[in-house]
Structure formats: C-alpha cells, structure tokens
Amino acid sequence: MKLYKVTKEGKEFVLTILSSGDMFGEAISFTSNYYAADAKALTDCEIGIINHKKLRPLLHQDAVLAMEFLRWSSLMERTTNAKLRDLTHHGKKGAICSTLIRLANSYGEKKDSSILITKKIKNGELGHYIGSSRESVNRMLADLKKDRVISQEGGYLEIHDLDYLKLACDCEECPIGVCRM
C-alpha cells in the first residue's frame, strides 16, 4: 500500500510505503473530513476501517490504547517530517540518498560489504519518492554509480558505501521505525 499526493501539475509524490500490519490514517480526521493523502494497494490486501467517532470513546476509556495511538501518530509524523527535512534541507541529492537508506532499511539484504535492495525499483518510481523526474533520478544515480556508492543490475540496487549516503543527507541515525519507506 502506498500513501501519496498528486500535485496540481499531476505529479505523484509518494509519502510512504506500508507493509503488512501497518496502520494508516489521519489524526486530523478528529477535527475535519480532510485527508492529507490518497492510498493505493500495490498488492492484494485486506484493510480494516476504524471510524474516528467509534475510536474516540475507546481512547477515552483505555489509557493504554490512547498512549499507543499517540505513539503511532507521533511516529508517523516524525517519519514524514524526516523525509521532508531531507528534501528541503539537502535538495534532490540528499532526498535520493536518504531514500536509498530507507530502501536499505526496508528491503535491504546484507551481503559481504554491501546491501542489496531486494525490491525491484524503477528510476521513475524513485522519482515519485522525492518529487523528481525520472531523468533527474537517472543523472543522480549515474553520479552515485560513477563514485562507486551504488550499482544497479536488473532493476535491483546495491549500496556499496552507506556512509557516503549518510553523509550526503546528514543522517541523524533515526530508529528503523522512522527511517523506512
């Protein structure tokens, strides 16, 4: 499942990719009917719906549930803010580097001295994660390949210099729960 926004120009910007067991939704729904993102299933899945009118009394009655809901809501906000920080503070290069780190954390398989991202990903799709065109992503990845930071074969990315990527986006060593797709 992906959560995304579409700009006025029709460009898609992917906010997050969800995995099995993840929750999504808007805490803002407690105050309005506005939703900040659209959702699209990427594979067959089942979705449960919790109506905020039914959730509110449960949160009042159960302090543990209320704390877990608050923890989840804060984690989602922190994750989104980290992605926006990388894009706004470090430009497209910082955003692509942090996205590669997030891909490694979400789909990475440790090899001898590298990390293979086991999810096949197209350059245009990477562009959707950072609000950039496929052509811009092609140029940035070509530079990273030239510097031997990454390699790409058959649609699979392999990271050879994670420290380079971390330096390029001033990585704050966020917990994996935050630094993920």
Side-chain angles (χ1 to χ4, degrees):
M1 173 86 51
K2 72 177 174 181
L3 300 181
Y4 65 98
K5 292 283 292 179
V6 177
T7 66
K8 286 187 273 186
E9 297 80 27
K11 285 180 67 175
E12 183 178 284
F13 181 71
V14 176
L15 301 170
T16 192
I17 300 292
L18 301 170
S19 299
S20 179
D22 283 346
M23 290 191 330
F24 68 96
E26 302 297 331
I28 196 169
S29 65
F30 283 106
T31 58
S32 74
N33 289 329
Y34 171 77
Y35 295 97
D38 292 311
K40 181 177 182 179
L42 301 173
T43 61
D44 288 343
C45 60
E46 290 184 28
I47 298 174
I49 297 172
I50 303 172
N51 183 299
H52 70 89
K53 289 177 185 174
K54 292 182 180 180
L55 179 60
R56 189 179 300 217
L58 294 174
L59 294 174
H60 282 288
Q61 295 167 3
D62 188 335
V64 173
L65 177 63
M67 288 303 295
E68 283 300 310
F69 185 81
L70 182 60
R71 185 193 64 75
W72 167 77
S73 182
S74 297
L75 179 66
M76 293 300 101
E77 181 180 5
R78 187 172 174 199
T79 301
T80 301
N81 286 341
K83 290 176 185 178
L84 292 174
R85 177 205 63 222
D86 294 341
L87 180 59
T88 58
H89 290 187
H90 305 292
K92 301 292 185 189
K93 181 179 179 183
I96 196 76
C97 290
S98 73
T99 299
L100 291 171
I101 294 167
R102 291 173 198 288
L103 284 166
N105 289 340
S106 299
Y107 308 106
E109 186 177 282
K110 188 85 170 124
K111 292 176 75 174
D112 292 333
S113 61
S114 65
I115 302 168
L116 176 67
I117 297 172
T118 59
K119 180 185 186 323
K120 198 178 245 191
I121 188 161
K122 296 179 180 177
N123 293 359
E125 187 179 351
L126 279 172
H128 290 225
Y129 295 135
I130 65 168
S132 189
S133 68
R134 181 184 51 78
E135 295 79 14
S136 292
V137 169
N138 290 348
R139 284 190 295 276
M140 288 184 281
L141 292 180
D143 289 343
L144 291 172
K145 289 174 194 173
K146 185 180 77 180
D147 293 337
R148 300 181 191 261
V149 176
I150 65 165
S151 59
Q152 193 173 25
E153 190 173 323
Y156 293 98
L157 289 161
E158 189 167 344
I159 298 172
H160 302 287
D161 192 346
L162 187 62
D163 290 334
Y164 178 100
L165 297 175
K166 288 181 176 183
L167 187 62
C169 65
D170 287 336
C171 178
E172 296 178 357
E173 301 291 338
C174 300
I176 296 292
V178 172
C179 189
R180 67 185 193 121
M181 292 308 293

